[in-house]
Amino acid sequence: MLSLRKIEMTQERVFLAIVVFVAALLAYDKRFMQDDAYISFVYARNFAEGHGLRWYPGSNEYGYTNFLFTIIVGILMKLGFGPEFASYMLTFPASLIMLLLVYGIGKRITSSPLPAWIATGALSINHTFLSYATGGLETSFCICLIIAVYYQTVCWHQDGIRKRLRYIAVFSSLALLTRLDSSLLLFPAYVFLLVVMLKKEGIRPAIITMTWVSAIPTASVLAMLGFGYAYYGYALPSTFDAKFGSWYVLQGFKYIHAFVKAQAYAPLILFAIWFFLVSEKDFVPERWVYRSVFFSIICIWVLYVLHVGGDFMEFRFLLPVLPFFYLLIFDVLIDHGKRTGHVFLGSIIAIMMFGNYVQPYYFQARMMDRNLIESTGLLNRWMKGTHYNWPILGMKLKEYFYTGKPDDVKIAVTGAGAIPYFSELFAIDQHGLNTRAVINEGGKEYQKRPGHRVKSSNKLLKELGVNLIIDHPIFIRKKKNGTYKCLATTILITHESLIKIPAVFIHLKDNLYVLAHYMTQHPKIDELIASGAIVRHADQLKNTRCGKDFIIPAAELPKSS
């Protein structure tokens, strides 16, 4: 007969295999790509082509925040992989490994395997978790490294194997090299390590051990900062200047509130708070230590979200704490659910399933909520849409203007990923993330959108020699009767400061055009206007929004040849 232990191990393996398989299928079904990923891909491509980590050859712009991820993608591109697939090669497996690590942590810190099973199961079907298994950014890759640190920390705490400390140091270094703000999530782990060592080993041995465990991550960060300063002239990317400074508490609160509302998690959180603070009867010190660590991780990250105001991508900024949230909340709830019976446990699972089911429908009506949070569907539409397709726009601009010479047409964009990547033109990032001159200018805040609050002035764009201002692309369809109609969109597009700059319509394909503003004269643009590939507007553009009823009469436009 099989021993009970072997039966449990078989059940565990079957469960994990099913969870990973189902998560892989769901993640593949929800795969998408987003514009911000192409910012890193621009630097990665130039790195692969021998130009270094540059926004364009010879520039000193420092606009990526995922150093290690960009380097690895660049190496994979050098080996012949496309940037999209290269990013998937890192993030997709990392998401699945994360599930195994979360189960491993949950199994070791809870009184029974049930919380670990449910926490892992909940994460495996979570819409945000599954979506960012792809997307092109480093999110899942970095979080997997952080979860690996906590897995090794819990294991070391329980078995005392010293080599785990080396793993902690290495995984911490990799996480910090991927995203510097990983330090906020790693801080509780190092505090926990220090406290446990002080109790186990005394002051002197604890300090010696923590010194070398911290030395590798610290040296990695200092090396990265030194590289940035020596290579670009700045220790930190422009993103830090664009996002940090003031506290955006209200915007951050709205971001968190939108997530709780979309996931229908309010009942779970209220139940957990009640049981955690009021109903706890059986005080188990070791388990409460783990709960305190997870709770501190969540609190620190929430403060960070409140500081930066969240993010404009669908809840990407909350994914780092989602595994800890599930481990904490289901440990507390199930611990008390045992006393109230299976009905209570069933209710927990039902709420969890319901929240994961309804989140995609939270954005269904407009694909963007009132807080300017874009759904993964909208982010993907900018990349893969039939009409709203920024890669096609970038490729068309390359076809029209790119020669590889210094006097190529210069463009200004707010979506600074796919369009610069596919056009390969000299591109000014109007939000300053890849154009530090915009940050140095101290541009006026024009919207409450994380990372996109500041926008370049027309004066600066003129000084930088910009020829065409693309801004946020407005796609226009030419109707059979000769009128031009703006395609419906969900976002404020044309800033009022652009109204006085002559408008042109750049032909993309068939009857599809894109609006641009012709700022500085260029012979190639004039040539295309003469040929009809670019249609010049007869007067200044008088509309600042693009909506379903925005129609430009044919009388105001010269007929295209």
Side-chain angles (χ1 to χ4, degrees), residues 40-56:
S40 298
F41 296 166
V42 171
Y43 289 92
R45 179 180 60 194
N46 285 323
F47 175 72
E49 293 178 352
H51 302 300
L53 288 168
R54 301 294 186 184
W55 178 236
Y56 52 88

Side-chain angles (χ1 to χ4, degrees), residues 16 19 95 98 115 134 158 186 191 193 224 237 244 265 288 291 296 316 409 428 442 444 447 456 516 544 558 561:
L16 290 175
V19 165
S95 296
M98 199 190 313
T134 56
Q158 296 184 355
L186 294 172
V191 172
L193 286 173
M224 183 172 64
F244 293 92
Y265 275 166
W288 273 70
R291 290 179 180 179
S296 65
R316 183 178 73 98
V409 168
I428 299 299
K444 184 179 179 181
Q447 66 175 3
S456 57
T544 59
S561 57

Side-chain angles (χ1 to χ4, degrees), residues 271-374:
F271 281 144
I273 292 174
W274 171 260
F275 290 134
F276 190 78
L277 298 178
V278 179
S279 302
E280 183 62 42
K281 305 294 183 183
D282 302 323
F283 184 82
V284 182
E286 185 176 271
R287 291 180 62 198
W288 273 70
V289 166
Y290 293 135
R291 290 179 180 179
S292 299
V293 170
F294 295 161
F295 184 70
S296 65
I297 295 169
I298 295 170
C299 288
I300 290 171
W301 195 254
V302 165
L303 287 174
Y304 178 55
V305 172
L306 293 176
H307 177 52
V308 301
D311 190 26
F312 75 92
M313 296 173 236
E314 185 181 342
F315 307 134
R316 183 178 73 98
F317 245 50
L318 293 176
L319 182 55
V321 294
L322 203 57
F324 303 106
F325 172 78
Y326 279 144
L327 285 169
L328 174 62
I329 207 164
F330 288 119
D331 181 30
V332 173
L333 290 173
I334 292 173
D335 192 28
H336 291 273
K338 293 175 184 176
R339 306 170 192 169
T340 56
H342 295 295
V343 173
F344 182 81
L345 293 179
S347 301
I348 293 174
I349 296 173
I351 293 172
M352 174 194 73
M353 294 287 289
F354 177 74
N356 281 294
Y357 175 76
V358 300
Q359 181 177 325
Y361 298 95
Y362 173 76
F363 291 95
Q364 192 175 40
R366 296 183 60 210
M367 303 187 80
M368 174 186 292
D369 79 346
R370 66 184 63 183
N371 302 309
L372 301 181
I373 302 172
E374 295 186 31

Side-chain angles (χ1 to χ4, degrees), residues 86-97:
S87 68
Y88 289 175
M89 290 172 68
L90 297 176
T91 59
F92 200 92
S95 296
L96 303 181
I97 293 171

Side-chain angles (χ1 to χ4, degrees), residues 461-493:
L461 296 182
K462 191 77 173 179
E463 291 174 356
L464 294 174
V466 170
N467 303 109
L468 287 175
I469 302 175
I470 306 296
D471 207 65
H472 194 295
I474 298 178
F475 292 92
I476 297 171
R477 183 173 64 249
K478 184 178 181 180
K479 302 176 73 176
K480 292 182 179 179
N481 62 3
T483 62
Y484 291 76
K485 182 173 181 179
C486 229
L487 298 179
T489 186
T490 60
I491 190 170
L492 177 63
I493 308 236

Side-chain angles (χ1 to χ4, degrees), residues 11 35 68 284 306 343 434 436 536:
Q11 291 175 338
D35 183 67
L68 179 62
V284 182
L306 293 176
V343 173
N434 296 280
R436 189 170 287 271
R536 185 193 289 272

Side-chain angles (χ1 to χ4, degrees), residues 214-227:
S214 305
I216 298 176
T218 302
S220 299
V221 171
L222 291 177
M224 183 172 64
L225 296 176
F227 167 80

